[in-house]
């Protein structure tokens, strides 16, 4: 009884949609999605992503939300309620946000730093060569901004579901959407002339971003793009990291689950596409195709150069952009932390206050270690997928490339073959609501998704590298 009284719930369907969308619309969409789209040929990546979002992503999102609502438990304990022999999935699912939260807050600190730069009208400094690498390799500033970012996250989680997560999501998400739409439209109006007379426009960048070109791509390259798009979906819709199980556990039984999931799915895909629309046409206009190949440094290295090239308005656009990214980062970090806090509350029966303090102490310690990973704790490690990384990259590889596909694969096996899809279908159709994509769900969860996830794990292990 003690565990049950510690739980609260969203006030209604809108509160759940805003909180879940806030979780989905984070750095995964605004930071990771655009650079993957730029790296993987724009339109081809978009094509793969949309198809996967409507099939693969939909199936995983439906499964996790339904598990959460059915069991009224956090990820650590929910899977054991479905089948006690498979409770180990809950341990893995809870381990993912434990690994993600410290380095996510470190990246959130980078965003806050750039927001402060543009707030103080110092955007030209951020455009200088080696500025970003010089900043993250510093000793004190990365730690300070990480602490500020995490402090905001912890306060929201501490306030609880309805008064914290739901209330702030309802405020931040509408503001976020308006600003993203505004800058997306502005990026299409851009035009830049090179010294040699070459003119590039935002509309040309839009074509590069949206129109697929399959004529110059091999089967192997297409497969890698498909795997990139599938890996991106984990971050975009917050699945396989316990978040949607936790949020699903706060959803009332009279909520139309499928209607809510459809709206989250639509909202997330729209914001992901608009995030790319904010960034890719602008980078293409001022830096050409070469500027789109800067990878993860796209928003911290390339964009400051773009804002500077815009002239006097660039500082305003830069501030607005990093304000958007700050809002998105906070809403997502809140959901990552909530997945851990709710698991501690359900498993140990602790209060929200005590659980939040425990998670805060851990996050601050490991977050400091991550920040110092570019300074006094710096090292280089070649990972199985061929990339070379530091502490942050190692944590990201373990969580995103290994644990998340494994959690999703085991969840598909559990639901598709052990307890059967009817367990989820019954929860979705409770209250006589319709499940319009039921047959697609069954086929995906039993056959297609497990195969794709197995291939993704093989890619993460480096089996497809050459």
């Amino acid at each position: 009884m003690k565990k049950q009284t510690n739980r609260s719930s969203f006030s209604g369907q809108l509160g759940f949609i805003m909180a879940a969308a806030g979780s989905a619309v984070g750095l995964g969409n605004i930071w990771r999605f655009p650079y993957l789209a730029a790296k993987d040929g724009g339109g081809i990546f978009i094509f793969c992503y949309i198809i996967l979002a409507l099939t693969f992503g939909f199936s995983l999102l439906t499964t996790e939300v339904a598990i959460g609502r059915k069991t009224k438990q956090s990820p650590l304990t929910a899977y054991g309620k479905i089948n006690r022999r498979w409770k180990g999935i809950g341990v893995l699912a809870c381990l993912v946000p434990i690994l993600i939260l410290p380095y996510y807050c470190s990246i959130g600190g980078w965003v806050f730093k750039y927001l402060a730069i543009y707030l103080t009208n110092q955007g030209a400094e951020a455009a200088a060569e080696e500025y970003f690498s010089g900043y993250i390799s510093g000793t004190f500033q990365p730690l300070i901004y990480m602490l500020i970012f995490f402090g905001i996250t912890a306060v929201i989680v501490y306030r609880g579901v309805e008064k914290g997560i739901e209330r702030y999501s309802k405020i931040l998400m509408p503001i976020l959407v308006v600003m993203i739409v505004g800058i997306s439209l502005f990026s299409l109006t851009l035009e830049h002339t090179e010294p040699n007379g070459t003119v590039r426009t935002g509309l040309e960048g839009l074509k590069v971003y949206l129109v697929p070109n399959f004529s110059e791509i091999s089967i192997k390259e297409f497969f890698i793009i498909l795997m990139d798009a599938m890996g991106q979906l984990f971050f975009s819709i917050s699945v396989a990291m316990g978040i949607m199980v936790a949020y699903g556990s706060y959803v009332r039984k009279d909520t139309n689950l499928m209607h809510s999931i459809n709206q989250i799915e639509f909202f997330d895909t729209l914001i992901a596409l608009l995030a790319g629309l904010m960034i890719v046409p602008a980078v293409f206009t001022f830096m050409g195709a070469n500027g789109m190949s800067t990878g993860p440094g796209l928003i911290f290295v390339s964009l400051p150069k773009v804002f500077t090239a815009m002239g006097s308005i660039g500082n305003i656009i830069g501030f607005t952009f990093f304000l958007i990214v700050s809002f998105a980062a906070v809403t997502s970090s809140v959901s990552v932390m909530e997945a851990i806090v709710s698991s501690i509350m359900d498993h140990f029966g602790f209060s929200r206050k005590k659980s939040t303090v425990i998670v805060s102490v851990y996050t601050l310690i490991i977050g400091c270690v991550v920040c110092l990973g570019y300074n006094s704790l710096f090292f280089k490690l070649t990972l199985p997928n061929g990339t070379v990384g530091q502490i942050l990259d190692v944590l990201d590889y373990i969580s995103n490339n290994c644990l998340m596909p494994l959690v999703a694969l085991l969840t598909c096996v559990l639901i598709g073959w052990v307890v059967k899809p009817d367990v989820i279908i019954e929860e979705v159709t409770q209250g006589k609501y319709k499940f319009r994509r039921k047959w697609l769900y069954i086929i995906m969860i039993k056959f297609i998704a497990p195969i794709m996830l197995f291939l993704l794990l093989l890619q993460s292990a480096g089996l497809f590298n050459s």
Side-chain angles (χ1 to χ4, degrees), residues 16-291:
F16 167 55
I17 292 171
M18 286 292 100
S23 169
V25 181
L27 289 176
N29 272 356
I30 297 182
W31 174 50
R32 202 169 184 271
F33 183 93
Y35 87 70
L36 283 176
K39 177 180 81 72
D40 289 337
I44 299 175
F45 178 84
I46 301 288
F47 172 80
C48 293
Y49 181 86
I50 291 176
I51 297 299
L52 287 172
L54 294 173
T55 54
F56 175 81
F58 155 76
S59 302
L60 293 181
L61 182 61
T62 300
T63 300
E64 294 200 2
V65 173
I67 287 175
R69 193 177 76 165
K70 181 178 182 64
T71 62
K72 288 296 178 184
Q73 294 287 299
S74 60
L76 183 60
T77 50
Y79 289 91
K81 292 286 185 181
I82 296 293
N83 187 301
R84 62 183 181 85
R85 294 182 178 179
W86 288 70
K87 62 183 179 181
I89 301 178
V91 176
L92 294 176
C94 191
L95 184 58
V96 173
I98 289 174
L99 292 175
I100 289 176
L101 185 59
Y103 79 76
Y104 198 99
C105 289
S106 299
I107 299 172
W110 302 350
V111 175
F112 272 24
K113 167 63 177 178
Y114 275 70
L115 178 64
I117 287 173
Y118 284 96
L119 179 63
T120 54
N121 200 26
Q122 297 176 356
E125 292 185 16
E129 292 295 331
E130 308 300 329
Y131 179 86
F132 176 63
S133 59
Y135 167 69
I136 62 174
S137 61
T139 303
F140 297 109
Q141 282 202 43
L143 290 172
I144 293 170
Y145 281 103
M146 184 274 292
L147 291 173
I148 295 171
F149 180 87
F150 176 69
I152 294 173
T153 299
V155 167
I156 295 173
V157 173
Y158 180 85
R159 288 180 60 82
V161 176
E162 189 173 340
K163 292 182 179 179
I165 298 169
E166 180 179 338
R167 178 177 296 176
Y168 287 97
S169 296
K170 284 181 177 179
I171 295 171
L172 294 181
M173 290 313 297
I175 298 173
L176 183 68
V177 172
V178 171
M179 290 195 298
I180 287 178
V181 170
I183 292 193
S184 297
L185 294 175
F186 174 78
S187 71
L188 299 181
T189 68
L190 296 173
E191 183 176 306
H192 176 68
T193 304
E194 292 286 342
N196 62 5
T198 302
V199 178
R200 290 189 297 268
T201 67
L203 289 176
E204 290 175 340
L206 175 66
K207 182 179 179 181
V208 171
Y209 176 54
L210 291 181
V211 179
N213 181 8
F214 293 98
S215 62
E216 299 179 1
I217 188 170
S218 66
I219 294 176
K220 181 178 180 180
E221 289 171 333
F222 180 76
F223 173 77
I224 291 173
I225 293 172
L226 185 68
M227 292 297 104
D228 280 351
M230 186 161 64
Q232 169 61 25
L233 269 171
F234 288 116
F235 270 108
S236 285
I237 59 177
S238 297
V239 294
M241 55 182 81
I243 293 172
M244 287 304 169
V245 175
Y247 277 11
S249 71
Y250 300 133
V251 177
R252 288 162 36 173
K253 287 291 186 179
D254 59 353
T255 298
N256 186 335
L257 215 55
M258 189 47 53
H259 183 256
S260 300
I261 289 169
N262 289 341
Q263 290 190 335
I264 295 166
E265 184 183 21
F266 170 79
F267 195 77
D268 165 72
T269 304
L270 176 65
I271 295 299
L273 294 175
L274 287 175
L277 193 59
M278 281 195 304
I279 296 172
V280 175
V283 172
F284 176 84
T285 299
F286 288 96
M287 304 183 70
N290 291 333

Side-chain angles (χ1 to χ4, degrees), residues 66 70 414-430 435 438-439 441-442 445-446:
K70 181 178 182 64
L414 171 63
I415 299 302
W417 298 98
V418 179
V419 300
K420 307 301 182 183
D422 283 345
V423 170
I424 302 300
I425 294 169
E426 288 172 6
E427 185 63 30
V428 172
T429 55
Q430 189 173 114
F435 192 169
K438 181 175 70 172
W439 294 111
Y441 174 79
I442 293 172
I445 210 71
K446 291 189 70 171

Side-chain angles (χ1 to χ4, degrees), residues 263-390:
Q263 290 190 335
I264 295 166
E265 184 183 21
F266 170 79
F267 195 77
D268 165 72
T269 304
L270 176 65
I271 295 299
L273 294 175
L274 287 175
L277 193 59
M278 281 195 304
I279 296 172
V280 175
V283 172
F284 176 84
T285 299
F286 288 96
M287 304 183 70
N290 291 333
M292 295 171 60
S293 61
T294 53
L298 189 67
I299 73 169
F300 295 111
V301 178
S302 295
L303 276 181
K305 293 179 173 28
V306 170
F307 297 144
T308 299
M310 289 180 183
S312 57
I313 197 175
N315 203 80
I316 298 173
I317 299 298
F319 171 75
T320 307
F321 173 79
F322 281 104
L323 185 62
I324 290 171
V325 182
S326 297
F327 282 0
V330 168
T331 56
S332 285
S333 65
V334 163
S335 62
V336 174
M337 186 173 180
E338 177 62 25
I340 310 170
V341 168
S342 64
S343 292
I344 294 175
M345 291 169 63
D346 285 344
H347 185 72
F348 297 103
F350 292 167
S351 67
R352 174 169 290 274
K353 178 179 178 180
K354 185 175 182 179
S355 301
T356 303
V357 170
I358 292 171
V359 176
S360 296
V361 171
Y362 156 78
T363 304
L364 290 175
I365 293 172
I366 305 302
C368 290
V369 172
V370 172
C371 290
L372 294 174
Y374 293 94
N375 190 305
S376 56
L377 300 179
F378 177 81
F379 65 84
K380 286 186 177 182
L381 180 67
T382 301
L383 300 170
N385 61 359
T387 61
V388 178
Q390 296 78 44

